[in-house]
PDB file of all heavy atoms in Angstrom:
ATOM      1  N   LEU R   1      -3.936   9.920  15.601  1.00 93.00           N
ATOM      2  CA  LEU R   1      -3.406  10.156  14.290  1.00 93.00           C
ATOM      3  C   LEU R   1      -4.539   9.748  13.291  1.00 93.00           C
ATOM      4  O   LEU R   1      -5.189   8.783  13.535  1.00 93.00           O
ATOM      5  CB  LEU R   1      -2.128   9.458  14.001  1.00 93.00           C
ATOM      6  CG  LEU R   1      -0.883   9.801  14.961  1.00 93.00           C
ATOM      7  CD1 LEU R   1       0.242   8.856  14.579  1.00 93.00           C
ATOM      8  CD2 LEU R   1      -0.566  11.261  14.745  1.00 93.00           C
ATOM      9  N   THR R   2      -4.581  10.400  12.063  1.00 96.00           N
ATOM     10  CA  THR R   2      -5.421   9.990  11.094  1.00 96.00           C
ATOM     11  C   THR R   2      -4.693  10.058   9.682  1.00 96.00           C
ATOM     12  O   THR R   2      -4.014  11.120   9.415  1.00 96.00           O
ATOM     13  CB  THR R   2      -6.632  10.956  10.973  1.00 96.00           C
ATOM     14  OG1 THR R   2      -7.356  10.853  12.173  1.00 96.00           O
ATOM     15  CG2 THR R   2      -7.528  10.517   9.760  1.00 96.00           C
ATOM     16  N   TYR R   3      -4.677   8.924   8.950  1.00 96.00           N
ATOM     17  CA  TYR R   3      -4.116   8.882   7.600  1.00 96.00           C
ATOM     18  C   TYR R   3      -5.105   8.306   6.661  1.00 96.00           C
ATOM     19  O   TYR R   3      -5.862   7.338   7.114  1.00 96.00           O
ATOM     20  CB  TYR R   3      -2.826   8.005   7.729  1.00 96.00           C
ATOM     21  CG  TYR R   3      -1.633   8.687   8.454  1.00 96.00           C
ATOM     22  CD1 TYR R   3      -1.446   8.111   9.689  1.00 96.00           C
ATOM     23  CD2 TYR R   3      -0.903   9.655   7.993  1.00 96.00           C
ATOM     24  CE1 TYR R   3      -0.385   8.621  10.413  1.00 96.00           C
ATOM     25  CE2 TYR R   3       0.070  10.125   8.614  1.00 96.00           C
ATOM     26  CZ  TYR R   3       0.305   9.748   9.923  1.00 96.00           C
ATOM     27  OH  TYR R   3       1.456  10.249  10.686  1.00 96.00           O
ATOM     28  N   ASP R   4      -4.988   8.735   5.333  1.00 98.00           N
ATOM     29  CA  ASP R   4      -5.835   7.888   4.438  1.00 98.00           C
ATOM     30  C   ASP R   4      -5.144   6.562   4.172  1.00 98.00           C
ATOM     31  O   ASP R   4      -3.948   6.438   4.044  1.00 98.00           O
ATOM     32  CB  ASP R   4      -5.936   8.751   3.096  1.00 98.00           C
ATOM     33  CG  ASP R   4      -6.770   9.797   3.111  1.00 98.00           C
ATOM     34  OD1 ASP R   4      -7.618   9.907   4.095  1.00 98.00           O
ATOM     35  OD2 ASP R   4      -6.841  10.627   2.277  1.00 98.00           O
ATOM     36  N   CYS R   5      -6.112   5.528   4.065  1.00 98.00           N
ATOM     37  CA  CYS R   5      -5.516   4.231   3.791  1.00 98.00           C
ATOM     38  C   CYS R   5      -6.224   3.600   2.494  1.00 98.00           C
ATOM     39  O   CYS R   5      -7.422   3.930   2.147  1.00 98.00           O
ATOM     40  CB  CYS R   5      -5.927   3.158   4.937  1.00 98.00           C
ATOM     41  SG  CYS R   5      -4.963   3.636   6.450  1.00 98.00           S
ATOM     42  N   PHE R   6      -5.412   2.944   1.652  1.00 98.00           N
ATOM     43  CA  PHE R   6      -5.885   2.438   0.463  1.00 98.00           C
ATOM     44  C   PHE R   6      -6.005   0.862   0.626  1.00 98.00           C
ATOM     45  O   PHE R   6      -5.033   0.235   1.091  1.00 98.00           O
ATOM     46  CB  PHE R   6      -4.973   2.630  -0.729  1.00 98.00           C
ATOM     47  CG  PHE R   6      -4.875   4.225  -1.055  1.00 98.00           C
ATOM     48  CD1 PHE R   6      -4.086   5.061  -0.116  1.00 98.00           C
ATOM     49  CD2 PHE R   6      -5.689   4.798  -1.966  1.00 98.00           C
ATOM     50  CE1 PHE R   6      -4.059   6.421  -0.473  1.00 98.00           C
ATOM     51  CE2 PHE R   6      -5.611   6.150  -2.229  1.00 98.00           C
ATOM     52  CZ  PHE R   6      -4.801   6.920  -1.392  1.00 98.00           C
ATOM     53  N   GLU R   7      -7.264   0.368   0.145  1.00 98.00           N
ATOM     54  CA  GLU R   7      -7.455  -1.115   0.425  1.00 98.00           C
ATOM     55  C   GLU R   7      -7.920  -1.807  -0.840  1.00 98.00           C
ATOM     56  O   GLU R   7      -8.689  -1.218  -1.644  1.00 98.00           O
ATOM     57  CB  GLU R   7      -8.480  -1.343   1.615  1.00 98.00           C
ATOM     58  CG  GLU R   7      -8.649  -2.785   1.891  1.00 98.00           C
ATOM     59  CD  GLU R   7      -9.517  -2.940   3.134  1.00 98.00           C
ATOM     60  OE1 GLU R   7      -9.467  -2.012   4.064  1.00 98.00           O
ATOM     61  OE2 GLU R   7     -10.152  -4.052   3.257  1.00 98.00           O
ATOM     62  N   LYS R   8      -7.413  -3.088  -0.985  1.00 98.00           N
ATOM     63  CA  LYS R   8      -7.865  -3.787  -2.064  1.00 98.00           C
ATOM     64  C   LYS R   8      -7.689  -5.255  -1.926  1.00 98.00           C
ATOM     65  O   LYS R   8      -6.696  -5.581  -1.226  1.00 98.00           O
ATOM     66  CB  LYS R   8      -7.131  -3.360  -3.483  1.00 98.00           C
ATOM     67  CG  LYS R   8      -7.697  -3.914  -4.811  1.00 98.00           C
ATOM     68  CD  LYS R   8      -6.839  -3.210  -5.900  1.00 98.00           C
ATOM     69  CE  LYS R   8      -7.409  -3.747  -7.367  1.00 98.00           C
ATOM     70  NZ  LYS R   8      -6.645  -3.004  -8.312  1.00 98.00           N
ATOM     71  N   GLY R   9      -8.482  -6.170  -2.461  1.00 97.00           N
ATOM     72  CA  GLY R   9      -8.273  -7.571  -2.409  1.00 97.00           C
ATOM     73  C   GLY R   9      -9.114  -8.286  -1.431  1.00 97.00           C
ATOM     74  O   GLY R   9      -9.955  -7.653  -0.697  1.00 97.00           O
ATOM     75  N   GLU R  10      -8.915  -9.681  -1.375  1.00 96.00           N
ATOM     76  CA  GLU R  10      -9.685 -10.483  -0.578  1.00 96.00           C
ATOM     77  C   GLU R  10      -8.692 -11.601  -0.035  1.00 96.00           C
ATOM     78  O   GLU R  10      -7.890 -12.074  -0.787  1.00 96.00           O
ATOM     79  CB  GLU R  10     -10.893 -11.281  -1.291  1.00 96.00           C
ATOM     80  CG  GLU R  10     -11.926 -10.231  -1.817  1.00 96.00           C
ATOM     81  CD  GLU R  10     -13.068 -10.950  -2.382  1.00 96.00           C
ATOM     82  OE1 GLU R  10     -12.967 -12.184  -2.498  1.00 96.00           O
ATOM     83  OE2 GLU R  10     -13.986 -10.310  -2.924  1.00 96.00           O
ATOM     84  N   GLY R  11      -8.975 -12.019   1.180  1.00 96.00           N
ATOM     85  CA  GLY R  11      -7.997 -13.079   1.739  1.00 96.00           C
ATOM     86  C   GLY R  11      -7.292 -12.490   2.987  1.00 96.00           C
ATOM     87  O   GLY R  11      -7.613 -11.505   3.560  1.00 96.00           O
ATOM     88  N   PRO R  12      -6.347 -13.144   3.436  1.00 97.00           N
ATOM     89  CA  PRO R  12      -5.536 -12.769   4.655  1.00 97.00           C
ATOM     90  C   PRO R  12      -4.965 -11.332   4.498  1.00 97.00           C
ATOM     91  O   PRO R  12      -4.713 -10.920   3.367  1.00 97.00           O
ATOM     92  CB  PRO R  12      -4.374 -13.766   4.800  1.00 97.00           C
ATOM     93  CG  PRO R  12      -4.815 -15.009   4.056  1.00 97.00           C
ATOM     94  CD  PRO R  12      -5.770 -14.466   2.900  1.00 97.00           C
ATOM     95  N   GLY R  13      -4.779 -10.608   5.506  1.00 97.00           N
ATOM     96  CA  GLY R  13      -4.409  -9.234   5.476  1.00 97.00           C
ATOM     97  C   GLY R  13      -2.962  -8.965   5.540  1.00 97.00           C
ATOM     98  O   GLY R  13      -2.258  -9.629   6.203  1.00 97.00           O
ATOM     99  N   VAL R  14      -2.545  -8.030   4.723  1.00 97.00           N
ATOM    100  CA  VAL R  14      -1.158  -7.497   4.711  1.00 97.00           C
ATOM    101  C   VAL R  14      -1.282  -5.939   4.775  1.00 97.00           C
ATOM    102  O   VAL R  14      -1.886  -5.369   4.007  1.00 97.00           O
ATOM    103  CB  VAL R  14      -0.427  -7.915   3.402  1.00 97.00           C
ATOM    104  CG1 VAL R  14       0.966  -7.177   3.425  1.00 97.00           C
ATOM    105  CG2 VAL R  14      -0.311  -9.423   3.289  1.00 97.00           C
ATOM    106  N   VAL R  15      -0.502  -5.359   5.697  1.00 98.00           N
ATOM    107  CA  VAL R  15      -0.341  -3.933   5.786  1.00 98.00           C
ATOM    108  C   VAL R  15       0.964  -3.737   5.082  1.00 98.00           C
ATOM    109  O   VAL R  15       1.987  -4.077   5.441  1.00 98.00           O
ATOM    110  CB  VAL R  15      -0.343  -3.402   7.215  1.00 98.00           C
ATOM    111  CG1 VAL R  15      -0.143  -1.861   7.283  1.00 98.00           C
ATOM    112  CG2 VAL R  15      -1.626  -3.698   7.920  1.00 98.00           C
ATOM    113  N   LEU R  16       0.921  -2.887   4.004  1.00 97.00           N
ATOM    114  CA  LEU R  16       2.077  -2.577   3.201  1.00 97.00           C
ATOM    115  C   LEU R  16       2.486  -1.134   3.492  1.00 97.00           C
ATOM    116  O   LEU R  16       1.633  -0.175   3.135  1.00 97.00           O
ATOM    117  CB  LEU R  16       1.893  -2.782   1.685  1.00 97.00           C
ATOM    118  CG  LEU R  16       2.950  -2.474   0.750  1.00 97.00           C
ATOM    119  CD1 LEU R  16       4.323  -3.189   1.093  1.00 97.00           C
ATOM    120  CD2 LEU R  16       2.601  -2.614  -0.672  1.00 97.00           C
ATOM    121  N   LEU R  17       3.583  -0.874   4.034  1.00 96.00           N
ATOM    122  CA  LEU R  17       4.079   0.465   4.321  1.00 96.00           C
ATOM    123  C   LEU R  17       4.937   1.043   3.362  1.00 96.00           C
ATOM    124  O   LEU R  17       5.877   0.389   2.856  1.00 96.00           O
ATOM    125  CB  LEU R  17       4.895   0.458   5.660  1.00 96.00           C
ATOM    126  CG  LEU R  17       4.245  -0.271   6.924  1.00 96.00           C
ATOM    127  CD1 LEU R  17       5.026  -0.244   8.128  1.00 96.00           C
ATOM    128  CD2 LEU R  17       2.828   0.404   7.297  1.00 96.00           C
ATOM    129  N   PRO R  18       4.735   2.218   2.788  1.00 94.00           N
ATOM    130  CA  PRO R  18       5.391   2.718   1.600  1.00 94.00           C
ATOM    131  C   PRO R  18       6.704   3.170   2.028  1.00 94.00           C
ATOM    132  O   PRO R  18       7.171   3.542   3.208  1.00 94.00           O
ATOM    133  CB  PRO R  18       4.562   3.986   1.157  1.00 94.00           C
ATOM    134  CG  PRO R  18       3.942   4.393   2.469  1.00 94.00           C
ATOM    135  CD  PRO R  18       3.678   3.194   3.240  1.00 94.00           C
ATOM    136  N   GLU R  19       7.600   3.184   0.941  1.00 89.00           N
ATOM    137  CA  GLU R  19       8.921   3.849   0.990  1.00 89.00           C
ATOM    138  C   GLU R  19       8.949   5.431   0.598  1.00 89.00           C
ATOM    139  O   GLU R  19       7.861   5.713   0.134  1.00 89.00           O
ATOM    140  CB  GLU R  19       9.881   3.037  -0.015  1.00 89.00           C
ATOM    141  CG  GLU R  19      11.182   3.692  -0.280  1.00 89.00           C
ATOM    142  CD  GLU R  19      12.136   3.976   0.807  1.00 89.00           C
ATOM    143  OE1 GLU R  19      11.740   4.417   1.873  1.00 89.00           O
ATOM    144  OE2 GLU R  19      13.337   3.788   0.789  1.00 89.00           O
ATOM    145  N   LEU R  20       9.845   6.032   1.062  1.00 86.00           N
ATOM    146  CA  LEU R  20       9.940   7.449   0.635  1.00 86.00           C
ATOM    147  C   LEU R  20       9.986   7.531  -0.845  1.00 86.00           C
ATOM    148  O   LEU R  20      10.693   6.728  -1.552  1.00 86.00           O
ATOM    149  CB  LEU R  20      11.214   8.106   1.185  1.00 86.00           C
ATOM    150  CG  LEU R  20      11.192   8.315   2.742  1.00 86.00           C
ATOM    151  CD1 LEU R  20      12.694   8.797   3.010  1.00 86.00           C
ATOM    152  CD2 LEU R  20      10.124   9.262   3.141  1.00 86.00           C
ATOM    153  N   PRO R  21       9.250   8.356  -1.435  1.00 90.00           N
ATOM    154  CA  PRO R  21       8.496   9.555  -0.982  1.00 90.00           C
ATOM    155  C   PRO R  21       7.064   9.155  -0.700  1.00 90.00           C
ATOM    156  O   PRO R  21       6.369  10.169  -0.501  1.00 90.00           O
ATOM    157  CB  PRO R  21       8.679  10.606  -2.051  1.00 90.00           C
ATOM    158  CG  PRO R  21       8.721   9.791  -3.315  1.00 90.00           C
ATOM    159  CD  PRO R  21       9.408   8.511  -2.952  1.00 90.00           C
ATOM    160  N   GLY R  22       6.675   7.959  -0.738  1.00 90.00           N
ATOM    161  CA  GLY R  22       5.151   7.642  -0.492  1.00 90.00           C
ATOM    162  C   GLY R  22       4.715   6.437  -1.322  1.00 90.00           C
ATOM    163  O   GLY R  22       5.532   5.660  -1.709  1.00 90.00           O
ATOM    164  N   ILE R  23       3.422   6.436  -1.492  1.00 97.00           N
ATOM    165  CA  ILE R  23       2.817   5.274  -2.261  1.00 97.00           C
ATOM    166  C   ILE R  23       3.015   5.588  -3.799  1.00 97.00           C
ATOM    167  O   ILE R  23       2.250   6.147  -4.485  1.00 97.00           O
ATOM    168  CB  ILE R  23       1.286   5.155  -1.937  1.00 97.00           C
ATOM    169  CG1 ILE R  23       1.129   4.908  -0.512  1.00 97.00           C
ATOM    170  CG2 ILE R  23       0.726   4.065  -2.800  1.00 97.00           C
ATOM    171  CD1 ILE R  23      -0.302   4.820  -0.047  1.00 97.00           C
ATOM    172  N   THR R  24       4.155   5.173  -4.236  1.00 94.00           N
ATOM    173  CA  THR R  24       4.586   5.443  -5.716  1.00 94.00           C
ATOM    174  C   THR R  24       4.087   4.372  -6.537  1.00 94.00           C
ATOM    175  O   THR R  24       3.542   3.335  -6.098  1.00 94.00           O
ATOM    176  CB  THR R  24       6.157   5.438  -5.719  1.00 94.00           C
ATOM    177  OG1 THR R  24       6.607   4.210  -5.355  1.00 94.00           O
ATOM    178  CG2 THR R  24       6.786   6.546  -4.901  1.00 94.00           C
ATOM    179  N   PRO R  25       4.210   4.476  -7.887  1.00 96.00           N
ATOM    180  CA  PRO R  25       3.763   3.506  -8.853  1.00 96.00           C
ATOM    181  C   PRO R  25       4.518   2.122  -8.554  1.00 96.00           C
ATOM    182  O   PRO R  25       3.898   1.042  -8.747  1.00 96.00           O
ATOM    183  CB  PRO R  25       4.145   4.028 -10.083  1.00 96.00           C
ATOM    184  CG  PRO R  25       3.976   5.453 -10.059  1.00 96.00           C
ATOM    185  CD  PRO R  25       4.542   5.774  -8.611  1.00 96.00           C
ATOM    186  N   GLU R  26       5.802   2.193  -8.011  1.00 94.00           N
ATOM    187  CA  GLU R  26       6.450   0.915  -7.726  1.00 94.00           C
ATOM    188  C   GLU R  26       5.900   0.194  -6.542  1.00 94.00           C
ATOM    189  O   GLU R  26       5.775  -1.013  -6.500  1.00 94.00           O
ATOM    190  CB  GLU R  26       7.904   1.222  -7.550  1.00 94.00           C
ATOM    191  CG  GLU R  26       8.708   1.626  -8.848  1.00 94.00           C
ATOM    192  CD  GLU R  26       8.496   3.025  -9.228  1.00 94.00           C
ATOM    193  OE1 GLU R  26       7.916   3.813  -8.482  1.00 94.00           O
ATOM    194  OE2 GLU R  26       8.821   3.349 -10.432  1.00 94.00           O
ATOM    195  N   VAL R  27       5.530   0.941  -5.507  1.00 96.00           N
ATOM    196  CA  VAL R  27       4.917   0.424  -4.431  1.00 96.00           C
ATOM    197  C   VAL R  27       3.543  -0.094  -4.720  1.00 96.00           C
ATOM    198  O   VAL R  27       3.179  -1.222  -4.290  1.00 96.00           O
ATOM    199  CB  VAL R  27       4.823   1.488  -3.213  1.00 96.00           C
ATOM    200  CG1 VAL R  27       3.914   0.956  -2.001  1.00 96.00           C
ATOM    201  CG2 VAL R  27       6.104   1.981  -2.791  1.00 96.00           C
ATOM    202  N   LEU R  28       2.934   0.533  -5.570  1.00 97.00           N
ATOM    203  CA  LEU R  28       1.571  -0.045  -6.035  1.00 97.00           C
ATOM    204  C   LEU R  28       1.718  -1.275  -6.832  1.00 97.00           C
ATOM    205  O   LEU R  28       0.926  -2.150  -6.786  1.00 97.00           O
ATOM    206  CB  LEU R  28       0.847   1.084  -6.883  1.00 97.00           C
ATOM    207  CG  LEU R  28       0.240   2.206  -6.133  1.00 97.00           C
ATOM    208  CD1 LEU R  28      -0.086   3.432  -6.951  1.00 97.00           C
ATOM    209  CD2 LEU R  28      -1.074   1.770  -5.362  1.00 97.00           C
ATOM    210  N   GLY R  29       2.850  -1.317  -7.559  1.00 96.00           N
ATOM    211  CA  GLY R  29       3.081  -2.620  -8.304  1.00 96.00           C
ATOM    212  C   GLY R  29       3.250  -3.728  -7.321  1.00 96.00           C
ATOM    213  O   GLY R  29       2.781  -4.961  -7.670  1.00 96.00           O
ATOM    214  N   LEU R  30       3.909  -3.573  -6.332  1.00 95.00           N
ATOM    215  CA  LEU R  30       4.097  -4.762  -5.243  1.00 95.00           C
ATOM    216  C   LEU R  30       2.766  -4.960  -4.606  1.00 95.00           C
ATOM    217  O   LEU R  30       2.466  -6.146  -4.401  1.00 95.00           O
ATOM    218  CB  LEU R  30       5.150  -4.220  -4.169  1.00 95.00           C
ATOM    219  CG  LEU R  30       5.297  -5.175  -2.961  1.00 95.00           C
ATOM    220  CD1 LEU R  30       5.603  -6.582  -3.423  1.00 95.00           C
ATOM    221  CD2 LEU R  30       6.257  -4.614  -1.991  1.00 95.00           C
ATOM    222  N   ALA R  31       1.965  -3.958  -4.304  1.00 97.00           N
ATOM    223  CA  ALA R  31       0.627  -4.082  -3.691  1.00 97.00           C
ATOM    224  C   ALA R  31      -0.232  -4.988  -4.643  1.00 97.00           C
ATOM    225  O   ALA R  31      -0.858  -5.876  -4.190  1.00 97.00           O
ATOM    226  CB  ALA R  31       0.003  -2.713  -3.441  1.00 97.00           C
ATOM    227  N   GLU R  32      -0.263  -4.626  -5.942  1.00 97.00           N
ATOM    228  CA  GLU R  32      -1.011  -5.360  -6.856  1.00 97.00           C
ATOM    229  C   GLU R  32      -0.656  -6.797  -6.911  1.00 97.00           C
ATOM    230  O   GLU R  32      -1.468  -7.773  -7.097  1.00 97.00           O
ATOM    231  CB  GLU R  32      -1.006  -4.739  -8.275  1.00 97.00           C
ATOM    232  CG  GLU R  32      -1.740  -3.349  -8.308  1.00 97.00           C
ATOM    233  CD  GLU R  32      -3.245  -3.514  -8.439  1.00 97.00           C
ATOM    234  OE1 GLU R  32      -3.728  -4.742  -8.290  1.00 97.00           O
ATOM    235  OE2 GLU R  32      -4.061  -2.468  -8.396  1.00 97.00           O
ATOM    236  N   HIS R  33       0.688  -6.932  -6.891  1.00 96.00           N
ATOM    237  CA  HIS R  33       1.148  -8.457  -6.808  1.00 96.00           C
ATOM    238  C   HIS R  33       0.591  -9.225  -5.716  1.00 96.00           C
ATOM    239  O   HIS R  33       0.112 -10.342  -5.777  1.00 96.00           O
ATOM    240  CB  HIS R  33       2.682  -8.392  -6.785  1.00 96.00           C
ATOM    241  CG  HIS R  33       3.314  -9.848  -6.620  1.00 96.00           C
ATOM    242  ND1 HIS R  33       3.296 -10.809  -7.710  1.00 96.00           N
ATOM    243  CD2 HIS R  33       3.834 -10.355  -5.528  1.00 96.00           C
ATOM    244  CE1 HIS R  33       3.806 -11.911  -7.151  1.00 96.00           C
ATOM    245  NE2 HIS R  33       4.279 -11.701  -5.882  1.00 96.00           N
ATOM    246  N   LEU R  34       0.651  -8.533  -4.482  1.00 96.00           N
ATOM    247  CA  LEU R  34       0.110  -9.219  -3.288  1.00 96.00           C
ATOM    248  C   LEU R  34      -1.378  -9.527  -3.414  1.00 96.00           C
ATOM    249  O   LEU R  34      -1.959 -10.494  -3.010  1.00 96.00           O
ATOM    250  CB  LEU R  34       0.422  -8.341  -2.074  1.00 96.00           C
ATOM    251  CG  LEU R  34       1.841  -8.264  -1.719  1.00 96.00           C
ATOM    252  CD1 LEU R  34       2.036  -7.149  -0.613  1.00 96.00           C
ATOM    253  CD2 LEU R  34       2.403  -9.631  -1.189  1.00 96.00           C
TER     254      LEU R  34
END
């Protein structure tokens, strides 16, 4: 399988899996918090 992945930050790693319908602005808000 191949999917595009979005990465940002430094430090310990966290894989954040999106909710339906995908990587929404709200999911990105959580990601930016992390």
Side-chain angles (χ1 to χ4, degrees):
L1 301 175
T2 299
Y3 295 101
D4 281 348
C5 292
F6 294 82
E7 181 170 336
K8 191 175 186 179
E10 296 180 359
V14 174
V15 177
L16 178 60
L17 308 178
E19 164 59 316
L20 292 175
I23 300 176
T24 63
E26 291 78 13
V27 172
L28 285 162
L30 173 58
E32 288 287 0
H33 172 74
L34 293 169

